[in-house]
Amino acid sequence: MTETHDHRIAHLFRSPLGWIGVVWEGEALQTLTFGHARRDAACRALGEPPRRRQLPLTERQQTLCDRLLAFTEGAPDSFADVEVTLDERTDFQRRVLEACRQIPYGQTASYAELAQAAGRPRAARAVG
């Protein structure tokens, strides 16, 4: 499924990890959800209406979908080059997501470490 709402594009596809949903704002990634057993669950997670209208993706959008699918099949990818938009997030959420993007491929960080990196060391629960 690919849909457009003004300048937002939503796309859903199957993967070995379940349904993946992606929303772009222009060419920037806005929302990503995965691991859904059903298509309609991925739609709900994106906050998108469950429609079936097909629209073509841009080359950049299709490439990201292909990379996500390959990642679910075991191909390593850091996705560090993917442009994301954080406009609809709070300042704290933006700082947490930016800290997440700094985690090297194949490594992990605890919620406490991310809270510290976001400037709120006692906010591990909020990070979760």
Side-chain angles (χ1 to χ4, degrees):
M1 175 199 81
T2 305
E3 302 175 25
T4 183
H5 303 279
D6 298 316
H7 54 288
R8 288 172 33 120
I9 299 285
H11 184 68
L12 292 157
F13 58 98
R14 283 185 196 207
S15 80
L17 297 180
W19 282 89
I20 294 177
V22 185
V23 175
W24 288 273
E25 180 129 356
E27 292 291 319
L29 177 65
Q30 181 187 52
T31 307
L32 170 68
T33 187
F34 59 91
H36 301 279
R38 297 187 358 215
R39 180 185 172 280
D40 61 325
C43 280
R44 282 193 304 277
L46 291 176
E48 295 291 327
R51 299 181 189 151
R52 301 241 181 231
R53 184 173 168 214
Q54 294 293 320
L55 296 173
L57 297 176
T58 67
E59 182 178 338
R60 191 178 201 179
Q61 292 165 343
Q62 185 61 57
T63 298
L64 178 58
C65 290
D66 294 343
R67 287 173 63 189
L68 287 166
L69 184 58
F71 186 77
T72 68
E73 295 170 343
D77 196 325
S78 72
F79 299 101
D81 62 312
V82 175
E83 180 185 354
V84 298
T85 180
L86 303 175
D87 295 342
E88 295 183 13
R89 308 292 191 258
T90 67
D91 184 52
F92 175 68
Q93 289 170 331
R94 282 192 296 274
R95 290 194 317 266
V96 169
L97 291 170
E98 288 166 2
C100 285
R101 290 185 63 120
Q102 299 305 312
I103 301 169
Y105 175 79
Q107 295 187 19
T108 61
S110 69
Y111 292 154
E113 291 168 328
L114 290 171
Q116 178 73 34
R120 296 204 27 215
R122 297 181 52 121
R125 190 171 185 181
V127 168

